[in-house]
Amino acid sequence: MTTFAFLLFAAALAFGLGKWLRLPVTPMLILAGVGLGLLADGGSVVLSSDLLQDLVHIGLAVLVFAAGVELSPRRMRGRVRPIVWVALTQFLALGLSGFVVAWALGYGMTTAFYTGCALSASSTLVVVRHLQSRQQMFEPFGRLVLGVLLLQDLFIILILVILLRLSEGLQSIMLAVGSTVLLAALALVIHRWCAPWLTRHVRLEEEELMLGALALLFAFSGLAYLIELPFLVGAFFAGFSLSAFPMNGLVRGMLGSLSAFFLALFFICIGAFLTLPSLTIIGHSFILMVVLIVVTVVVVSVVAEAVGYSTRAAVESGILLSQTSEFSLLLALAGLSTGQISAELFSMIALITVSTMTLTPFLSRESVVWFLMRLHPRYRKGERRCEVMSGHAVLLGYGRAGARTVKLLKQHGLDVVVIDDDAGVIRKLIEQNIPCIQGDGSDPHMLEQAHCRQARMVLSSMRRSRDAQAAIHYLQATPVQIFVRTFEPAEAEQVRAAGGVPVETATAAADSLIAWLEGNLPARPHPS
């Protein structure tokens, strides 16, 4: 009980300091745990190592369960091919890079293999929270990322099962893999038929649903233990079995506070177990973090764009996947418990995991995305065709309605210049012989290059309202009308007050925009 009281006090202190200093809470929890560990080593406090170890396993089970709830395979519909390509390429590229770098740094083969595996999977919890906070769960790149996470978690589970049975021979490995497949099949049956039937025919109170979800977690974990699999494998498949809509939404809402509580205890306990890393380990951790971020962003961006995603979606996907996973800690714990890796390596993997999880919100900022997109090769051929244009239409952002919009404008006798930040879109426009500029539609230099002040009209379909405001401000002293697609009534009022013409649509659907243009475009000018 004394140990638990110390942990709760440390958690409260970490949350308070994080809020006061405006820092991410995860590193504060780790530091609080490290502080408790140092006090315990000095004899100032007494901590039960057995309780700490139990809380690590329970906390990790809840986190893995919560991660499984978010990974419904239905989100992969229509995207199986790109998801498989991105997941396989990233997993293999990161695993190989981590192995080679660790081996070059002087680690043995087994240690290097564990390091490569730990680097190869991304955090479901971090990515899902980011997508939810930005309301991007159902965007194309959001579905791509969630599908990649599901496959990566399955890869790590199989690797973990194989590593734990490696010393027992091929027959034992095959038996463990077969048991894992059977457990996954049971989870799929519950996901596909049992959970949907339950939500349709049984009306459960919140408390009953909560108890049922936890009972399923313990049932799968116990079953995994009985068939000699890591109980955390059962926790993941328990969460996966409840990932079907609408069951996942109900469970997610109830798990919020519970998972946050165990998340705090988990990271504090991890911190208490860590040995203080040497300067060499810190340096190696930094090198591996750089390798992880660079390889992930480059590989995912290139592959995602190659299989049909836009440059922006590909870059955002790469940034979101550039951290290690809660499964990395699970893998490290398994290696530590079997004696295959040292406590020092466990500390290094934990440091990399916590650091990259903490960095993700900063790396995924708009400014970073724009910076990386500017590094993409630009296409100048289309830009040179804009030098002599006037009396034309300028389209800021191509989007889903771009092709039909350009066609409609040309039918009314207007030449068109497209400004878009996506290199993939620009490449296609050049192939179609459409004048275009790769860049930000809110950038005055881009607007000047497109001769917007000499244009007849400007149409903005950019996602962010502040970008449209910048374009309106640029055209304020000119007779050029700017039509702006708006998402909310408040945005429409802002556009109207600034001097633009809002195209109001609740869903910003392409069909609505096209219909509006057909009814509001000026008549086709007669040739003089």
Side-chain angles (χ1 to χ4, degrees):
M1 186 60 69
T2 305
T3 299
F4 199 72
F6 279 126
L7 293 175
L8 291 179
F9 176 77
L13 184 63
F15 274 103
L17 284 175
K19 187 173 183 180
W20 181 45
L21 298 174
R22 297 181 180 179
L23 293 173
V25 69
T26 300
M28 302 304 296
L29 291 168
I30 291 284
L31 288 175
V34 171
L36 276 181
L38 292 175
L39 289 174
D41 291 340
S44 301
V45 299
V46 178
L47 299 177
S48 170
S49 59
D50 290 338
L51 179 59
L52 290 178
Q53 190 170 0
D54 289 342
L55 287 174
V56 166
H57 287 121
I58 294 173
L60 193 52
V62 173
L63 297 182
V64 169
F65 176 69
V69 169
E70 302 293 347
L71 298 179
S72 173
R74 294 185 181 182
R75 294 195 175 109
M76 297 176 63
R77 286 179 179 174
R79 296 176 175 85
V80 173
R81 177 178 167 271
I83 286 172
V84 170
W85 271 108
V86 173
L88 279 174
T89 308
Q90 183 205 354
F91 194 86
L92 294 175
L94 269 178
L96 182 60
S97 300
F99 175 85
V100 170
V101 172
W103 182 74
L105 291 173
Y107 293 98
M109 297 290 285
T110 302
T111 300
F113 184 77
Y114 265 94
T115 304
C117 291
L119 261 61
S120 58
S122 306
S123 172
T124 301
L125 290 175
V126 171
V127 173
V128 167
R129 286 182 178 179
H130 180 88
L131 292 174
Q132 288 175 342
S133 66
R134 297 197 177 186
Q135 299 181 340
Q136 295 174 319
M137 289 284 286
F138 299 101
E139 288 194 13
F141 89 93
R143 292 177 178 270
L144 169 70
V145 167
L146 291 173
V148 170
L149 290 170
L150 175 58
L151 290 184
Q152 285 183 351
D153 288 348
L154 293 176
F155 295 157
I156 284 290
I157 284 174
L158 287 175
I159 289 174
L160 176 63
V161 169
I162 292 171
L163 282 175
L164 292 177
R165 296 292 186 92
L166 198 59
S167 60
E168 300 176 16
L170 182 60
Q171 184 176 356
S172 180
I173 291 174
M174 296 300 293
L175 181 62
V177 170
S179 300
T180 304
V181 171
L182 287 176
L183 198 62
L186 176 60
L188 186 60
V189 169
I190 296 174
H191 167 89
R192 189 78 177 271
W193 292 286
C194 300
W197 182 90
L198 192 65
T199 53
R200 287 195 304 266
H201 296 91
V202 180
R203 193 175 187 85
L204 295 174
E205 299 295 333
E206 286 190 7
E207 295 81 3
E208 295 171 330
L209 189 58
M210 181 71 168
L211 290 173
L214 292 177
L216 192 65
L217 166 61
F218 291 124
F220 266 85
S221 299
L223 185 58
Y225 178 78
L226 289 175
I227 58 178
E228 299 182 352
L229 293 176
F231 75 96
L232 294 175
V233 174
F236 174 78
F237 285 127
F240 173 81
S241 67
L242 298 178
S243 64
F245 179 83
M247 179 64 78
N248 58 348
L250 298 172
V251 174
R252 183 193 305 124
M254 292 180 301
L255 281 177
S257 300
L258 184 67
S259 61
F261 173 76
F262 280 104
L263 180 72
L265 291 180
F266 170 73
F267 280 116
I268 288 178
C269 293
I270 286 291
F273 273 122
L274 291 179
T275 58
L276 285 178
S278 63
L279 290 177
T280 301
I281 290 296
I282 293 175
H284 291 176
S285 300
F286 178 77
I287 293 171
L288 289 166
M289 280 191 287
V290 171
V291 170
L292 165 68
I293 293 171
V294 172
V295 171
T296 301
V297 173
V298 171
V299 169
V300 173
S301 299
V302 171
V303 176
E305 189 173 350
V307 294
Y309 283 82
S310 67
T311 302
R312 183 185 181 89
V315 170
E316 287 182 316
S317 299
I319 293 174
L320 273 183
L321 292 169
S322 59
Q323 80 287 123
T324 47
S325 168
E326 48 277 353
F327 275 101
S328 301
L329 293 174
L330 169 59
L331 193 69
L333 282 171
L336 183 63
S337 63
T338 57
Q340 292 175 308
I341 64 172
S342 65
E344 198 172 40
L345 181 66
F346 173 78
S347 296
M348 185 174 74
I349 292 175
L351 179 61
I352 293 170
T353 301
V354 173
S355 300
T356 52
M357 284 180 171
T358 304
L359 284 173
T360 298
F362 299 100
L363 293 176
S364 58
R365 289 178 175 177
E366 287 283 336
S367 57
V368 178
V369 175
W370 282 110
F371 173 76
L372 292 177
M373 290 181 65
R374 292 190 189 102
L375 297 179
H376 197 287
R378 293 171 60 86
Y379 299 93
R380 299 287 186 182
K381 179 182 175 183
E383 295 179 2
R384 289 196 296 270
R385 298 190 57 219
C386 304
E387 296 174 359
V388 294
M389 297 187 72
S390 63
H392 56 294
V394 180
L395 184 60
L396 307 180
Y398 197 62
R400 296 180 180 178
R404 295 173 63 188
T405 304
V406 169
K407 181 180 179 181
L408 184 61
L409 290 168
K410 287 187 173 182
Q411 287 176 353
H412 284 76
L414 292 174
D415 292 325
V416 183
V417 176
V418 178
I419 300 178
D420 198 279
D421 54 40
D422 197 306
V425 170
I426 295 298
R427 183 174 63 250
K428 292 177 182 177
L429 291 172
I430 292 172
E431 291 172 355
Q432 298 169 16
N433 207 31
I434 297 173
C436 52
I437 299 171
Q438 183 187 348
D440 183 358
S442 64
D443 186 343
H445 298 291
M446 299 293 112
L447 298 173
E448 182 180 357
Q449 191 172 347
H451 301 283
C452 284
R453 287 175 174 161
Q454 289 76 43
R456 186 172 181 183
M457 63 188 306
V458 175
L459 298 97
S460 171
S461 60
M462 294 184 290
R463 291 186 297 174
R464 299 177 300 184
S465 58
R466 64 177 180 271
D467 291 344
Q469 293 283 350
I472 294 172
H473 179 73
Y474 177 83
L475 296 169
Q476 238 171 9
T478 70
V480 180
Q481 276 191 308
I482 177 168
F483 302 91
V484 181
R485 184 187 67 180
T486 58
F487 293 83
E488 302 289 344
E491 291 180 1
E493 289 301 321
Q494 291 172 358
V495 169
R496 198 175 287 112
V501 180
V503 182
E504 301 181 60
T505 167
T507 60
D511 289 340
S512 300
L513 178 59
I514 294 298
W516 192 95
L517 287 172
E518 288 176 340
N520 290 275
L521 275 174
R524 178 172 182 169
H526 294 287
S528 55

